[in-house]
Structure formats: C-alpha cells, structure tokens
Amino acid sequence: MSAHSEVAPLSPSAEEHFLNVDGIRLRYLRAGRGRPLLLIHGLLGYSFCWRRNFEALGRHFDVIAPDLPGIGFSERPRDLDCSLRAAAARMLRLLDALGIEQADVIGNSHGGGIAATMAADAPGRLHRLILSAPINPWSEHGQLLTAALASRAGRVAFPAIWRGLRRMRGYILRRMYGDPARIPARSVEGYVAGLMAPGTTEYLLGVMRCWHSDLRQLERIYSKLDLPVLLLWGDRDSAVLPQSAQRLRSLIPQAELRILPGVGHLPHEEAPDEFHRVVLDFLRHD
C-alpha cells in the first residue's frame, strides 16, 4: 500500500496498481474476477468514490477503477488535453494496456460523458454502458459558472476560488447527497486526499475550457450510441438535473431509465445496495 493510500484507505477488496498510458503514470484499483467492468469517476472524484462498490461488483466482474490523469493519485502532466475525446481515448488505451478487448463501463457525471464518448469513438469495445447522472447539454445547472471559469478572468481568479472551495468541502459533498445523513465517515478527508497534489487546479481549468464544446459534442454522441445503455439518476440530484434524463432516453436508441428516489448525484456512494441491484440486473441481462 502506498503512502497516499493511508490517507485515502483502499477498499479491502481492491488492489492498487500503476501503469503508463501515453507516457502518463496512471493509478487504478482492481478487484474481483469475471467480465471486465471499467468504472469512471466524476470531475472532483477519483477511484476513492467507488470504495463502497468493489466488493459487491467484484463478485461478478473484474472491476477496474482508474484515477483519471490530472487528479487522484495519477500523474498531472503539463498541457494535458482535458477534452472528453482525449480522456476517452486514454481510457481505451488503458483497456489496450490491460489486454482487454471489450468491457462494460459505468461512468458517473463527467465520467459519464467520457464513457459515452468511448462508446461512440470505438464501436464494439463496450459491451454495455451505464451512465449515472451523465453531463449533458439539457441540464443547464452550472453552465454559466463553467463558462465564467473558462474565461480569462476566471482562469486568473480560479486558484483563489479553489482555496475557498477546499474550505467548503464538507458543504459541497453534502450538496451531492439527497440525504447528507448517509455520507460515510471520513468521506471528506478521502476526497480531499486526491485533490491535494500540485497540478489539480490546472487539470480542472483544462476541463472547464473544454466544457461547452464537449457538451455540443455530446449532443451528437448520445444519439449515435449503438449498444444497451442504462441511464441512472437520483431524483434529488442537484448537479445534473433529473429533468434532463427524459431527453437523453428519447435520444439514445437502446436506453432504459431508472430513477432512485431520495438519492442525489452519487447513487453508487449514497445508496450502494440499490445501485448494485439495478446495475447487476442490467449488466447480467443478455
């Protein structure tokens, strides 16, 4: 176990690994055995966010949860292309490096956009796709903020804004939950551990610069997905609004939609038992 894993404890079911993808040192956790299942976290998360899922999913699948380059305990290279298309290509090359020809993929929030882009850019590489509150152009919440942060003034101000956000980290996590009483102990400390390394702000600003062009790209991508897709939302999601789910379901040819009552933006973390039941039912249905 690495020193940083003592700050953000590993699930007892998962093992820590590192490999190079495009010359970037990438950290990932792996658990279980069976058909490969890739888990892609959201913007301010890393593999820590799946800590409540490794054991249950690992009983049926070979679960792989990377820290995306730029965050968590993966390397933060300068001038990293932070677009969805580049991030999706890196995840496909991760599968290549692991010798995986085809995988099921779960993506949450920004990770959902990455997962959808993988499916569109590499037809046949994904077997089934689960998009948990994926970013999309029809949820307007936060779009003004991301546009402001992508501006020149926003880029200059962001380091100070980021220091303020770090002080509000408990409040931010509570906003991600439908019921903050369900937040597991030491969750705030675990998330913060993956944000502390130098280069995090540059990565986040890089994502912001691509945000609106990525949303326009997703408008085309979602309608082209040609595989079974589960859309999963909590009805108390205040980050990616549940109202956008119906538009996505109408666009994606093979989509089904499940809404979890009383749950916020992180169903896998807030309601893991219900999440596992819905996910396994979908993934094991052939």
Side-chain angles (χ1 to χ4, degrees), residues 243-269:
Q243 295 91 316
S244 62
Q246 295 295 346
R247 181 67 181 272
L248 274 181
R249 183 171 67 170
S250 70
L251 277 178
I252 301 173
Q254 299 182 59
E256 57 183 272
L257 172 64
R258 294 295 303 271
I259 304 288
L260 302 187
V263 176
H265 188 57
L266 307 172
H268 55 283
E269 185 173 325

Side-chain angles (χ1 to χ4, degrees), residues 14-15 22 43 53 108 123 195 272 286:
E15 295 183 352
D22 295 346
L43 181 59
N53 311 118
N108 173 244
L195 299 172
D286 281 309

Side-chain angles (χ1 to χ4, degrees), residues 19-115:
L19 54 70
N20 285 336
V21 175
D22 295 346
I24 301 168
R25 189 171 188 258
L26 184 145
R27 178 205 191 225
Y28 65 98
L29 304 184
R30 195 166 190 172
R33 61 181 61 190
R35 198 166 74 211
L37 174 60
L38 181 68
L39 309 181
I40 306 179
H41 61 77
L43 181 59
L44 291 175
Y46 65 110
S47 55
F48 174 79
C49 75
W50 306 106
R51 64 200 179 282
R52 308 187 79 186
N53 311 118
F54 288 112
E55 183 176 359
L57 296 179
R59 296 188 194 117
H60 309 277
F61 295 93
D62 175 12
V63 181
I64 301 153
D67 296 356
L68 292 173
I71 205 160
F73 297 109
S74 287
E75 189 178 357
R76 289 151 169 74
R78 285 189 171 189
D79 302 319
L80 179 70
D81 185 343
C82 295
S83 67
L84 289 179
R85 182 142 277 152
R90 285 190 287 269
M91 290 298 96
L92 290 166
R93 287 192 284 274
L94 169 63
L95 296 181
D96 292 340
L98 295 174
I100 295 171
E101 295 183 2
Q102 189 182 58
D104 297 305
V105 179
I106 303 175
N108 173 244
S109 194
H110 184 251
I114 295 171

